[in-house]
PDB file of all heavy atoms in Angstrom:
ATOM      1  N   ALA A   6      -2.869   4.747   2.144  1.00 97.00           N
ATOM      2  CA  ALA A   6      -2.998   4.637   3.607  1.00 97.00           C
ATOM      3  C   ALA A   6      -3.698   5.874   4.170  1.00 97.00           C
ATOM      4  O   ALA A   6      -4.580   5.766   5.029  1.00 97.00           O
ATOM      5  CB  ALA A   6      -1.627   4.453   4.247  1.00 97.00           C
ATOM      6  N   ILE A   7      -3.335   7.039   3.660  1.00 97.00           N
ATOM      7  CA  ILE A   7      -3.980   8.283   4.130  1.00 97.00           C
ATOM      8  C   ILE A   7      -5.478   8.249   3.816  1.00 97.00           C
ATOM      9  O   ILE A   7      -6.315   8.614   4.638  1.00 97.00           O
ATOM     10  CB  ILE A   7      -3.304   9.519   3.486  1.00 97.00           C
ATOM     11  CG1 ILE A   7      -1.897   9.701   4.071  1.00 97.00           C
ATOM     12  CG2 ILE A   7      -4.150  10.782   3.684  1.00 97.00           C
ATOM     13  CD1 ILE A   7      -1.048  10.752   3.373  1.00 97.00           C
ATOM     14  N   ARG A   8      -5.808   7.764   2.628  1.00 96.00           N
ATOM     15  CA  ARG A   8      -7.217   7.715   2.217  1.00 96.00           C
ATOM     16  C   ARG A   8      -8.010   6.677   3.015  1.00 96.00           C
ATOM     17  O   ARG A   8      -9.158   6.907   3.380  1.00 96.00           O
ATOM     18  CB  ARG A   8      -7.286   7.421   0.712  1.00 96.00           C
ATOM     19  CG  ARG A   8      -8.557   7.867   0.043  1.00 96.00           C
ATOM     20  CD  ARG A   8      -8.457   7.856  -1.480  1.00 96.00           C
ATOM     21  NE  ARG A   8      -7.524   6.886  -2.019  1.00 96.00           N
ATOM     22  CZ  ARG A   8      -7.764   5.595  -2.166  1.00 96.00           C
ATOM     23  NH1 ARG A   8      -8.929   5.103  -1.828  1.00 96.00           N
ATOM     24  NH2 ARG A   8      -6.842   4.787  -2.676  1.00 96.00           N
ATOM     25  N   LEU A   9      -7.375   5.535   3.298  1.00 96.00           N
ATOM     26  CA  LEU A   9      -8.090   4.435   3.964  1.00 96.00           C
ATOM     27  C   LEU A   9      -8.207   4.601   5.477  1.00 96.00           C
ATOM     28  O   LEU A   9      -9.080   4.028   6.108  1.00 96.00           O
ATOM     29  CB  LEU A   9      -7.395   3.098   3.661  1.00 96.00           C
ATOM     30  CG  LEU A   9      -7.563   2.589   2.236  1.00 96.00           C
ATOM     31  CD1 LEU A   9      -6.748   1.321   2.030  1.00 96.00           C
ATOM     32  CD2 LEU A   9      -9.044   2.312   1.938  1.00 96.00           C
ATOM     33  N   ARG A  10      -7.295   5.350   6.102  1.00 97.00           N
ATOM     34  CA  ARG A  10      -7.353   5.496   7.564  1.00 97.00           C
ATOM     35  C   ARG A  10      -8.668   6.130   7.980  1.00 97.00           C
ATOM     36  O   ARG A  10      -9.161   7.048   7.335  1.00 97.00           O
ATOM     37  CB  ARG A  10      -6.186   6.371   8.055  1.00 97.00           C
ATOM     38  CG  ARG A  10      -6.117   6.472   9.589  1.00 97.00           C
ATOM     39  CD  ARG A  10      -5.711   7.851  10.046  1.00 97.00           C
ATOM     40  NE  ARG A  10      -6.586   8.875   9.535  1.00 97.00           N
ATOM     41  CZ  ARG A  10      -7.748   9.238  10.127  1.00 97.00           C
ATOM     42  NH1 ARG A  10      -8.127   8.681  11.252  1.00 97.00           N
ATOM     43  NH2 ARG A  10      -8.519  10.172   9.589  1.00 97.00           N
ATOM     44  N   TYR A  11      -9.238   5.611   9.017  1.00 97.00           N
ATOM     45  CA  TYR A  11     -10.450   6.215   9.575  1.00 97.00           C
ATOM     46  C   TYR A  11     -10.460   5.906  11.066  1.00 97.00           C
ATOM     47  O   TYR A  11      -9.689   5.064  11.534  1.00 97.00           O
ATOM     48  CB  TYR A  11     -11.711   5.659   8.881  1.00 97.00           C
ATOM     49  CG  TYR A  11     -11.986   4.222   9.254  1.00 97.00           C
ATOM     50  CD1 TYR A  11     -12.974   3.886  10.183  1.00 97.00           C
ATOM     51  CD2 TYR A  11     -11.212   3.190   8.719  1.00 97.00           C
ATOM     52  CE1 TYR A  11     -13.198   2.571  10.542  1.00 97.00           C
ATOM     53  CE2 TYR A  11     -11.438   1.865   9.082  1.00 97.00           C
ATOM     54  CZ  TYR A  11     -12.427   1.565   9.998  1.00 97.00           C
ATOM     55  OH  TYR A  11     -12.634   0.258  10.368  1.00 97.00           O
ATOM     56  N   SER A  12     -11.308   6.583  11.802  1.00 98.00           N
ATOM     57  CA  SER A  12     -11.414   6.327  13.232  1.00 98.00           C
ATOM     58  C   SER A  12     -12.273   5.092  13.445  1.00 98.00           C
ATOM     59  O   SER A  12     -13.497   5.135  13.262  1.00 98.00           O
ATOM     60  CB  SER A  12     -12.037   7.529  13.940  1.00 98.00           C
ATOM     61  OG  SER A  12     -11.125   8.596  13.931  1.00 98.00           O
ATOM     62  N   CYS A  13     -11.620   4.013  13.828  1.00 98.00           N
ATOM     63  CA  CYS A  13     -12.312   2.733  14.012  1.00 98.00           C
ATOM     64  C   CYS A  13     -12.823   2.643  15.449  1.00 98.00           C
ATOM     65  O   CYS A  13     -12.076   2.862  16.395  1.00 98.00           O
ATOM     66  CB  CYS A  13     -11.338   1.594  13.705  1.00 98.00           C
ATOM     67  SG  CYS A  13     -12.061  -0.035  13.982  1.00 98.00           S
ATOM     68  N   ARG A  14     -14.080   2.305  15.604  1.00 97.00           N
ATOM     69  CA  ARG A  14     -14.655   2.191  16.946  1.00 97.00           C
ATOM     70  C   ARG A  14     -15.271   0.820  17.171  1.00 97.00           C
ATOM     71  O   ARG A  14     -16.060   0.627  18.089  1.00 97.00           O
ATOM     72  CB  ARG A  14     -15.675   3.318  17.174  1.00 97.00           C
ATOM     73  CG  ARG A  14     -15.029   4.707  17.074  1.00 97.00           C
ATOM     74  CD  ARG A  14     -15.964   5.854  17.379  1.00 97.00           C
ATOM     75  NE  ARG A  14     -15.267   7.147  17.325  1.00 97.00           N
ATOM     76  CZ  ARG A  14     -15.131   7.894  16.228  1.00 97.00           C
ATOM     77  NH1 ARG A  14     -15.650   7.478  15.082  1.00 97.00           N
ATOM     78  NH2 ARG A  14     -14.478   9.040  16.271  1.00 97.00           N
ATOM     79  N   LYS A  15     -14.849  -0.145  16.326  1.00 97.00           N
ATOM     80  CA  LYS A  15     -15.325  -1.524  16.470  1.00 97.00           C
ATOM     81  C   LYS A  15     -14.188  -2.459  16.076  1.00 97.00           C
ATOM     82  O   LYS A  15     -13.774  -2.475  14.897  1.00 97.00           O
ATOM     83  CB  LYS A  15     -16.525  -1.736  15.539  1.00 97.00           C
ATOM     84  CG  LYS A  15     -17.606  -2.569  16.135  1.00 97.00           C
ATOM     85  CD  LYS A  15     -18.837  -2.534  15.259  1.00 97.00           C
ATOM     86  CE  LYS A  15     -19.804  -3.602  15.715  1.00 97.00           C
ATOM     87  NZ  LYS A  15     -20.827  -3.844  14.713  1.00 97.00           N
ATOM     88  N   PHE A  16     -13.659  -3.180  17.046  1.00 98.00           N
ATOM     89  CA  PHE A  16     -12.504  -4.046  16.800  1.00 98.00           C
ATOM     90  C   PHE A  16     -12.860  -5.509  17.048  1.00 98.00           C
ATOM     91  O   PHE A  16     -13.746  -5.815  17.846  1.00 98.00           O
ATOM     92  CB  PHE A  16     -11.361  -3.655  17.750  1.00 98.00           C
ATOM     93  CG  PHE A  16     -10.811  -2.270  17.518  1.00 98.00           C
ATOM     94  CD1 PHE A  16     -11.300  -1.181  18.239  1.00 98.00           C
ATOM     95  CD2 PHE A  16      -9.812  -2.050  16.582  1.00 98.00           C
ATOM     96  CE1 PHE A  16     -10.800   0.104  18.028  1.00 98.00           C
ATOM     97  CE2 PHE A  16      -9.304  -0.768  16.363  1.00 98.00           C
ATOM     98  CZ  PHE A  16      -9.802   0.304  17.094  1.00 98.00           C
ATOM     99  N   THR A  17     -12.129  -6.421  16.378  1.00 97.00           N
ATOM    100  CA  THR A  17     -12.248  -7.843  16.697  1.00 97.00           C
ATOM    101  C   THR A  17     -11.220  -8.158  17.787  1.00 97.00           C
ATOM    102  O   THR A  17     -10.349  -7.330  18.070  1.00 97.00           O
ATOM    103  CB  THR A  17     -11.942  -8.731  15.472  1.00 97.00           C
ATOM    104  OG1 THR A  17     -10.532  -8.697  15.222  1.00 97.00           O
ATOM    105  CG2 THR A  17     -12.694  -8.272  14.230  1.00 97.00           C
ATOM    106  N   ASP A  18     -11.301  -9.356  18.378  1.00 90.00           N
ATOM    107  CA  ASP A  18     -10.339  -9.687  19.440  1.00 90.00           C
ATOM    108  C   ASP A  18      -9.074 -10.382  18.909  1.00 90.00           C
ATOM    109  O   ASP A  18      -8.261 -10.882  19.671  1.00 90.00           O
ATOM    110  CB  ASP A  18     -11.001 -10.519  20.554  1.00 90.00           C
ATOM    111  CG  ASP A  18     -11.628 -11.785  20.017  1.00 90.00           C
ATOM    112  OD1 ASP A  18     -11.434 -12.080  18.808  1.00 90.00           O
ATOM    113  OD2 ASP A  18     -12.318 -12.479  20.780  1.00 90.00           O
ATOM    114  N   LYS A  19      -8.910 -10.378  17.576  1.00 96.00           N
ATOM    115  CA  LYS A  19      -7.710 -11.008  16.997  1.00 96.00           C
ATOM    116  C   LYS A  19      -6.444 -10.273  17.455  1.00 96.00           C
ATOM    117  O   LYS A  19      -6.353  -9.040  17.314  1.00 96.00           O
ATOM    118  CB  LYS A  19      -7.823 -10.957  15.460  1.00 96.00           C
ATOM    119  CG  LYS A  19      -6.689 -11.662  14.746  1.00 96.00           C
ATOM    120  CD  LYS A  19      -6.871 -11.589  13.225  1.00 96.00           C
ATOM    121  CE  LYS A  19      -5.617 -12.097  12.539  1.00 96.00           C
ATOM    122  NZ  LYS A  19      -5.647 -11.929  11.095  1.00 96.00           N
ATOM    123  N   PRO A  20      -5.474 -11.000  18.024  1.00 96.00           N
ATOM    124  CA  PRO A  20      -4.251 -10.326  18.470  1.00 96.00           C
ATOM    125  C   PRO A  20      -3.430  -9.802  17.291  1.00 96.00           C
ATOM    126  O   PRO A  20      -3.557 -10.283  16.165  1.00 96.00           O
ATOM    127  CB  PRO A  20      -3.465 -11.422  19.214  1.00 96.00           C
ATOM    128  CG  PRO A  20      -4.285 -12.661  19.159  1.00 96.00           C
ATOM    129  CD  PRO A  20      -5.453 -12.443  18.259  1.00 96.00           C
ATOM    130  N   ILE A  21      -2.581  -8.833  17.567  1.00 98.00           N
ATOM    131  CA  ILE A  21      -1.716  -8.263  16.522  1.00 98.00           C
ATOM    132  C   ILE A  21      -0.419  -9.052  16.486  1.00 98.00           C
ATOM    133  O   ILE A  21       0.213  -9.279  17.521  1.00 98.00           O
ATOM    134  CB  ILE A  21      -1.411  -6.780  16.826  1.00 98.00           C
ATOM    135  CG1 ILE A  21      -2.712  -5.988  16.975  1.00 98.00           C
ATOM    136  CG2 ILE A  21      -0.525  -6.173  15.752  1.00 98.00           C
ATOM    137  CD1 ILE A  21      -2.520  -4.575  17.520  1.00 98.00           C
ATOM    138  N   GLU A  22      -0.025  -9.483  15.284  1.00 98.00           N
ATOM    139  CA  GLU A  22       1.226 -10.222  15.128  1.00 98.00           C
ATOM    140  C   GLU A  22       2.394  -9.343  15.584  1.00 98.00           C
ATOM    141  O   GLU A  22       2.420  -8.149  15.298  1.00 98.00           O
ATOM    142  CB  GLU A  22       1.442 -10.618  13.662  1.00 98.00           C
ATOM    143  CG  GLU A  22       0.413 -11.582  13.103  1.00 98.00           C
ATOM    144  CD  GLU A  22      -0.896 -10.908  12.648  1.00 98.00           C
ATOM    145  OE1 GLU A  22      -1.109  -9.704  12.950  1.00 98.00           O
ATOM    146  OE2 GLU A  22      -1.714 -11.589  12.009  1.00 98.00           O
ATOM    147  N   LYS A  23       3.356  -9.980  16.260  1.00 98.00           N
ATOM    148  CA  LYS A  23       4.507  -9.243  16.806  1.00 98.00           C
ATOM    149  C   LYS A  23       5.241  -8.461  15.712  1.00 98.00           C
ATOM    150  O   LYS A  23       5.623  -7.299  15.921  1.00 98.00           O
ATOM    151  CB  LYS A  23       5.437 -10.262  17.483  1.00 98.00           C
ATOM    152  CG  LYS A  23       6.766  -9.735  17.951  1.00 98.00           C
ATOM    153  CD  LYS A  23       6.691  -9.185  19.365  1.00 98.00           C
ATOM    154  CE  LYS A  23       8.040  -8.834  19.957  1.00 98.00           C
ATOM    155  NZ  LYS A  23       8.635  -7.634  19.417  1.00 98.00           N
ATOM    156  N   GLU A  24       5.439  -9.071  14.519  1.00 98.00           N
ATOM    157  CA  GLU A  24       6.185  -8.385  13.450  1.00 98.00           C
ATOM    158  C   GLU A  24       5.450  -7.119  13.003  1.00 98.00           C
ATOM    159  O   GLU A  24       6.075  -6.103  12.702  1.00 98.00           O
ATOM    160  CB  GLU A  24       6.392  -9.264  12.198  1.00 98.00           C
ATOM    161  CG  GLU A  24       6.639 -10.723  12.409  1.00 98.00           C
ATOM    162  CD  GLU A  24       5.355 -11.502  12.700  1.00 98.00           C
ATOM    163  OE1 GLU A  24       4.532 -11.691  11.792  1.00 98.00           O
ATOM    164  OE2 GLU A  24       5.195 -11.921  13.882  1.00 98.00           O
ATOM    165  N   LYS A  25       4.114  -7.205  12.962  1.00 98.00           N
ATOM    166  CA  LYS A  25       3.331  -6.024  12.555  1.00 98.00           C
ATOM    167  C   LYS A  25       3.483  -4.908  13.584  1.00 98.00           C
ATOM    168  O   LYS A  25       3.706  -3.755  13.233  1.00 98.00           O
ATOM    169  CB  LYS A  25       1.849  -6.383  12.426  1.00 98.00           C
ATOM    170  CG  LYS A  25       1.514  -7.142  11.165  1.00 98.00           C
ATOM    171  CD  LYS A  25       0.009  -7.115  10.926  1.00 98.00           C
ATOM    172  CE  LYS A  25      -0.297  -7.816   9.604  1.00 98.00           C
ATOM    173  NZ  LYS A  25      -1.691  -7.644   9.197  1.00 98.00           N
ATOM    174  N   LEU A  26       3.355  -5.286  14.852  1.00 98.00           N
ATOM    175  CA  LEU A  26       3.469  -4.290  15.919  1.00 98.00           C
ATOM    176  C   LEU A  26       4.867  -3.663  15.891  1.00 98.00           C
ATOM    177  O   LEU A  26       5.012  -2.435  16.019  1.00 98.00           O
ATOM    178  CB  LEU A  26       3.195  -4.953  17.274  1.00 98.00           C
ATOM    179  CG  LEU A  26       3.003  -4.024  18.462  1.00 98.00           C
ATOM    180  CD1 LEU A  26       1.906  -2.990  18.215  1.00 98.00           C
ATOM    181  CD2 LEU A  26       2.689  -4.841  19.718  1.00 98.00           C
ATOM    182  N   ASP A  27       5.865  -4.483  15.656  1.00 98.00           N
ATOM    183  CA  ASP A  27       7.239  -3.955  15.592  1.00 98.00           C
ATOM    184  C   ASP A  27       7.381  -2.957  14.440  1.00 98.00           C
ATOM    185  O   ASP A  27       8.017  -1.915  14.588  1.00 98.00           O
ATOM    186  CB  ASP A  27       8.246  -5.098  15.406  1.00 98.00           C
ATOM    187  CG  ASP A  27       8.417  -5.912  16.679  1.00 98.00           C
ATOM    188  OD1 ASP A  27       7.949  -5.468  17.740  1.00 98.00           O
ATOM    189  OD2 ASP A  27       9.018  -7.006  16.611  1.00 98.00           O
ATOM    190  N   ARG A  28       6.792  -3.274  13.284  1.00 98.00           N
ATOM    191  CA  ARG A  28       6.901  -2.368  12.128  1.00 98.00           C
ATOM    192  C   ARG A  28       6.186  -1.045  12.398  1.00 98.00           C
ATOM    193  O   ARG A  28       6.655   0.031  12.022  1.00 98.00           O
ATOM    194  CB  ARG A  28       6.338  -3.022  10.865  1.00 98.00           C
ATOM    195  CG  ARG A  28       7.260  -4.074  10.245  1.00 98.00           C
ATOM    196  CD  ARG A  28       6.829  -4.430   8.832  1.00 98.00           C
ATOM    197  NE  ARG A  28       5.563  -5.135   8.761  1.00 98.00           N
ATOM    198  CZ  ARG A  28       5.424  -6.468   8.765  1.00 98.00           C
ATOM    199  NH1 ARG A  28       6.487  -7.242   8.836  1.00 98.00           N
ATOM    200  NH2 ARG A  28       4.239  -7.029   8.686  1.00 98.00           N
ATOM    201  N   ILE A  29       5.044  -1.147  13.084  1.00 98.00           N
ATOM    202  CA  ILE A  29       4.277   0.063  13.401  1.00 98.00           C
ATOM    203  C   ILE A  29       5.069   0.964  14.355  1.00 98.00           C
ATOM    204  O   ILE A  29       5.143   2.179  14.188  1.00 98.00           O
ATOM    205  CB  ILE A  29       2.918  -0.337  14.019  1.00 98.00           C
ATOM    206  CG1 ILE A  29       2.043  -1.003  12.954  1.00 98.00           C
ATOM    207  CG2 ILE A  29       2.208   0.854  14.626  1.00 98.00           C
ATOM    208  CD1 ILE A  29       0.857  -1.736  13.526  1.00 98.00           C
ATOM    209  N   LEU A  30       5.696   0.341  15.342  1.00 98.00           N
ATOM    210  CA  LEU A  30       6.472   1.126  16.313  1.00 98.00           C
ATOM    211  C   LEU A  30       7.735   1.708  15.665  1.00 98.00           C
ATOM    212  O   LEU A  30       8.182   2.794  16.019  1.00 98.00           O
ATOM    213  CB  LEU A  30       6.801   0.264  17.544  1.00 98.00           C
ATOM    214  CG  LEU A  30       5.554  -0.139  18.348  1.00 98.00           C
ATOM    215  CD1 LEU A  30       5.896  -1.206  19.378  1.00 98.00           C
ATOM    216  CD2 LEU A  30       4.903   1.066  19.018  1.00 98.00           C
ATOM    217  N   GLU A  31       8.257   0.973  14.674  1.00 98.00           N
ATOM    218  CA  GLU A  31       9.412   1.491  13.918  1.00 98.00           C
ATOM    219  C   GLU A  31       9.012   2.759  13.151  1.00 98.00           C
ATOM    220  O   GLU A  31       9.805   3.703  13.036  1.00 98.00           O
ATOM    221  CB  GLU A  31       9.923   0.391  12.965  1.00 98.00           C
ATOM    222  CG  GLU A  31      11.011   0.814  11.976  1.00 98.00           C
ATOM    223  CD  GLU A  31      12.359   1.116  12.635  1.00 98.00           C
ATOM    224  OE1 GLU A  31      12.486   0.946  13.854  1.00 98.00           O
ATOM    225  OE2 GLU A  31      13.267   1.548  11.900  1.00 98.00           O
ATOM    226  N   ALA A  32       7.775   2.783  12.666  1.00 98.00           N
ATOM    227  CA  ALA A  32       7.284   3.980  11.962  1.00 98.00           C
ATOM    228  C   ALA A  32       7.264   5.172  12.909  1.00 98.00           C
ATOM    229  O   ALA A  32       7.561   6.304  12.508  1.00 98.00           O
ATOM    230  CB  ALA A  32       5.888   3.724  11.391  1.00 98.00           C
ATOM    231  N   ALA A  33       6.928   4.934  14.162  1.00 98.00           N
ATOM    232  CA  ALA A  33       6.967   6.024  15.157  1.00 98.00           C
ATOM    233  C   ALA A  33       8.407   6.442  15.422  1.00 98.00           C
ATOM    234  O   ALA A  33       8.717   7.633  15.530  1.00 98.00           O
ATOM    235  CB  ALA A  33       6.300   5.572  16.451  1.00 98.00           C
ATOM    236  N   ARG A  34       9.291   5.488  15.492  1.00 98.00           N
ATOM    237  CA  ARG A  34      10.705   5.787  15.781  1.00 98.00           C
ATOM    238  C   ARG A  34      11.308   6.720  14.736  1.00 98.00           C
ATOM    239  O   ARG A  34      12.169   7.544  15.035  1.00 98.00           O
ATOM    240  CB  ARG A  34      11.503   4.469  15.830  1.00 98.00           C
ATOM    241  CG  ARG A  34      12.921   4.620  16.367  1.00 98.00           C
ATOM    242  CD  ARG A  34      13.632   3.277  16.404  1.00 98.00           C
ATOM    243  NE  ARG A  34      14.087   2.844  15.095  1.00 98.00           N
ATOM    244  CZ  ARG A  34      15.241   3.189  14.533  1.00 98.00           C
ATOM    245  NH1 ARG A  34      16.076   3.959  15.182  1.00 98.00           N
ATOM    246  NH2 ARG A  34      15.568   2.754  13.327  1.00 98.00           N
ATOM    247  N   LEU A  35      10.837   6.606  13.490  1.00 98.00           N
ATOM    248  CA  LEU A  35      11.402   7.394  12.394  1.00 98.00           C
ATOM    249  C   LEU A  35      10.767   8.781  12.254  1.00 98.00           C
ATOM    250  O   LEU A  35      11.140   9.547  11.371  1.00 98.00           O
ATOM    251  CB  LEU A  35      11.248   6.617  11.077  1.00 98.00           C
ATOM    252  CG  LEU A  35      12.036   5.298  11.033  1.00 98.00           C
ATOM    253  CD1 LEU A  35      11.732   4.544   9.746  1.00 98.00           C
ATOM    254  CD2 LEU A  35      13.531   5.537  11.175  1.00 98.00           C
ATOM    255  N   ALA A  36       9.833   9.101  13.134  1.00 98.00           N
ATOM    256  CA  ALA A  36       9.141  10.397  13.031  1.00 98.00           C
ATOM    257  C   ALA A  36      10.105  11.542  13.352  1.00 98.00           C
ATOM    258  O   ALA A  36      11.054  11.375  14.119  1.00 98.00           O
ATOM    259  CB  ALA A  36       7.960  10.425  14.001  1.00 98.00           C
ATOM    260  N   PRO A  37       9.850  12.710  12.757  1.00 98.00           N
ATOM    261  CA  PRO A  37      10.651  13.889  13.134  1.00 98.00           C
ATOM    262  C   PRO A  37      10.200  14.412  14.499  1.00 98.00           C
ATOM    263  O   PRO A  37       9.083  14.148  14.935  1.00 98.00           O
ATOM    264  CB  PRO A  37      10.310  14.892  12.031  1.00 98.00           C
ATOM    265  CG  PRO A  37       8.936  14.515  11.594  1.00 98.00           C
ATOM    266  CD  PRO A  37       8.819  13.025  11.757  1.00 98.00           C
TER     267      PRO A  37
END
Side-chain angles (χ1 to χ4, degrees):
I7 290 171
R8 203 167 28 80
L9 288 176
R10 185 218 56 85
Y11 71 102
S12 290
C13 177
R14 299 184 177 89
K15 219 170 168 195
F16 295 94
T17 73
D18 57 7
K19 184 179 171 186
I21 304 170
E22 296 81 349
K23 172 88 171 74
E24 323 79 71
K25 283 196 177 189
L26 192 55
D27 287 348
R28 284 194 292 268
I29 291 165
L30 294 169
E31 173 69 3
R34 190 179 77 86
L35 296 175

